Amino acid sequence: MANKVYNFSAGPSVLPEQALKEASAACIDYANSGISILSMSHRSKPIGDMFAETEQFLRDLMGIPENYDIVFLGGGCSLLFCMVPMNLLGQNETADYTDTGVWAGKALKEAKQFGNVNVACSTKADVYNHIDKNLQMSDNAKYLHITGNNTIYGTEWHNFPKPKSGYLVCDMSSDFLARKVNVSDFGMIYGGAQKNISCAGVTVSIIRKGLLGTVDRKIPTMLNFQTHIDGANMFNTPPVFAVYVMNRTLKWLKDIGGIDAIEKINREKAALLYGALDASKVFVGTAAKEDRSMMNVPFVFNKEVVSAEKNDELAKEFLDFAKARGLQQLKGHRSVGGFRASIYNAMPIEGVQALVDCLGDFEKKVLG
């Protein structure tokens, strides 16, 4: 019998089996209509009801207050990197940005096109292996932008910083719904869904009322958040299927006990894997312990045990060893190498235990 496959991809990533089965069935017949959800009009009542239910699931799970709007858009988080400052930052205004990883750096780069950007902290010189919490913020910043979790380097803000002025904006692409957050502490939360809550193709933006419409530039219609708020996410044809996958994933999360339940599971998974890495003689984690991510765990060979000359050959051997056990997508990001296990919400603890067992067995093989 073949091993069960565990998908440790950083995104698009593992999704709940329950959600996948329901989404698969909807591709043939949605809501007993005899029509596939892929070919059903977004103006139809079943789709309108599904969007409303998805928003309510999100509000209930995250405790989103009524004075926040929710926008579902295509374009990926990379598009939101420019939409956020385009909508929030005036040409002569300043925003504080934290540079804690590749995606944080991309958001920062886009913001410079629309206003003044103050880099409140940067750990780029240290290959983003930790988060500098000693922020050098502006006195008059419109907002402070952070990236909640850094997928490539495996660091995470465990305590969210407070802006010196203005409000907090957070890219939560890779830790959406992974832990409890107080939405009222943020002016805006946004991110791509393909890490934790859906397949690729949709983004989520949660925006406090009153923040939009404060810049004097002309914003293209489709890039204006207010367009989609006023159009109830139906201004143009939205990414219906990706929203439905989100709907089913949120329902799964609600069924297992919500954010409190999944946060407990996520902390157990992370503790299990980091514990194994800390005890290992062959593998070592790369992120500073105090900033370790619950979602993404990068690790490399211990240089004192595996020489640089043997690293590449042994890395291939380990990936093959893991794949033979059904453990896939463990190769590290091309910019940093090594290995990375992404253990998002839908990764069961059994998958993490299988990886821990694999690390131990490979270590015995290396050490003899």
Side-chain angles (χ1 to χ4, degrees):
M1 182 177 173
N3 287 317
K4 179 176 174 59
V5 171
Y6 291 108
N7 173 19
F8 291 94
S9 171
S13 56
V14 61
L15 287 168
E17 188 173 342
Q18 173 185 320
L20 293 175
K21 287 179 177 178
E22 291 169 335
S24 177
C27 287
I28 303 300
D29 181 355
Y30 180 62
N32 296 315
S33 65
I35 301 174
S36 166
I37 194 170
L38 299 176
S39 55
M40 185 175 282
S41 170
H42 60 293
R43 305 290 181 190
S44 66
K45 187 176 187 301
I47 299 303
D49 290 347
M50 184 270 287
F51 266 68
E53 182 182 60
T54 306
E55 179 174 328
Q56 196 57 53
F57 279 153
L58 202 57
R59 286 188 183 277
D60 292 345
L61 285 164
M62 294 184 70
I64 301 173
E66 287 302 313
N67 66 320
Y68 285 76
D69 290 306
I70 298 175
V71 178
F72 302 124
L73 281 176
C77 200
S78 293
L79 178 61
L80 294 181
F81 288 159
C82 79
M83 284 183 68
V84 169
M86 184 185 291
N87 282 262
L88 299 180
L89 184 63
Q91 185 175 348
N92 297 315
E93 294 177 318
T94 298
D96 289 332
Y97 272 71
T98 56
D99 181 20
T100 55
V102 167
W103 302 110
K106 289 179 183 292
L108 189 159
K109 179 182 176 183
E110 292 299 306
K112 288 181 177 180
Q113 300 183 65
F114 301 99
N116 302 314
V117 172
N118 170 58
V119 180
C121 75
S122 178
T123 52
K124 188 173 184 178
D126 296 317
V127 201
Y128 297 123
N129 63 4
H130 70 287
I131 291 176
D132 182 359
K133 297 162 220 55
N134 183 27
L135 304 187
Q136 305 299 311
M137 292 182 277
S138 310
D139 292 328
N140 60 340
K142 188 81 173 286
Y143 60 83
L144 167 64
H145 182 283
I146 65 172
T147 303
N149 181 76
N150 300 286
T151 55
I152 295 175
Y153 300 94
T155 60
E156 183 175 33
W157 286 94
H158 295 298
N159 296 295
F160 296 112
K162 292 184 179 180
K164 191 173 183 180
S165 62
Y167 49 87
L168 187 60
V169 175
C170 184
D171 168 8
M172 281 191 190
S173 291
S174 54
D175 57 352
F176 248 129
L177 298 165
R179 54 178 167 160
K180 206 159 198 173
V181 300
N182 182 7
V183 175
S184 296
D185 290 342
F186 303 83
M188 180 175 180
I189 294 170
Y190 72 96
Q194 72 274 14
K195 309 287 190 184
N196 231 8
I197 54 177
S198 186
C199 58
V202 65
T203 63
V204 180
S205 297
I206 303 165
I207 311 167
R208 186 189 299 151
K209 292 181 185 295
L211 299 186
L212 300 175
T214 62
V215 298
D216 55 7
R217 70 172 54 87
K218 289 184 178 180
I219 302 174
T221 304
M222 275 297 292
L223 299 181
N224 193 329
F225 284 116
Q226 197 63 52
T227 298
H228 304 285
I229 292 169
D230 293 343
N233 287 307
M234 294 290 175
F235 175 77
N236 70 323
T237 306
V240 172
F241 184 67
V243 173
Y244 182 64
V245 175
M246 185 194 306
N247 178 290
R248 294 296 83 193
T249 303
L250 298 181
K251 175 65 165 56
W252 166 80
L253 185 54
K254 185 177 180 181
D255 288 346
I256 67 170
I259 303 295
D260 288 338
I262 201 65
E263 180 172 357
K264 182 174 182 292
I265 293 168
N266 285 337
R267 292 196 183 282
E268 288 173 357
K269 291 187 299 187
L272 177 61
L273 183 49
Y274 284 120
L277 290 172
D278 289 343
S280 175
K281 293 181 174 63
V282 172
F283 299 98
V284 292
T286 58
K289 289 187 177 182
E290 67 272 16
D291 298 323
R292 284 173 165 175
S293 166
M294 277 200 303
M295 297 284 97
N296 310 98
V297 183
F299 55 100
V300 295
F301 287 131
N302 184 341
K303 293 179 181 178
E304 295 180 5
V305 176
V306 179
S307 65
E309 300 81 46
K310 292 183 179 179
N311 190 90
D312 289 349
E313 182 183 344
L314 198 62
K316 184 180 183 305
E317 186 178 332
F318 169 69
L319 292 173
D320 290 341
F321 185 83
K323 191 172 183 178
R325 291 169 170 237
L327 311 180
Q328 298 194 22
Q329 305 294 318
L330 283 166
K331 188 175 182 180
H333 191 273
R334 60 186 178 277
S335 64
V336 293
F339 316 103
R340 174 175 52 170
S342 294
I343 51 176
Y344 297 119
N345 284 1
M347 171 59 67
I349 197 161
E350 292 81 6
V352 178
Q353 184 61 58
L355 175 57
V356 167
D357 293 342
C358 176
L359 294 174
D361 289 345
F362 191 77
E363 177 164 322
K364 290 175 185 175
K365 185 179 179 183
V366 171
L367 298 180

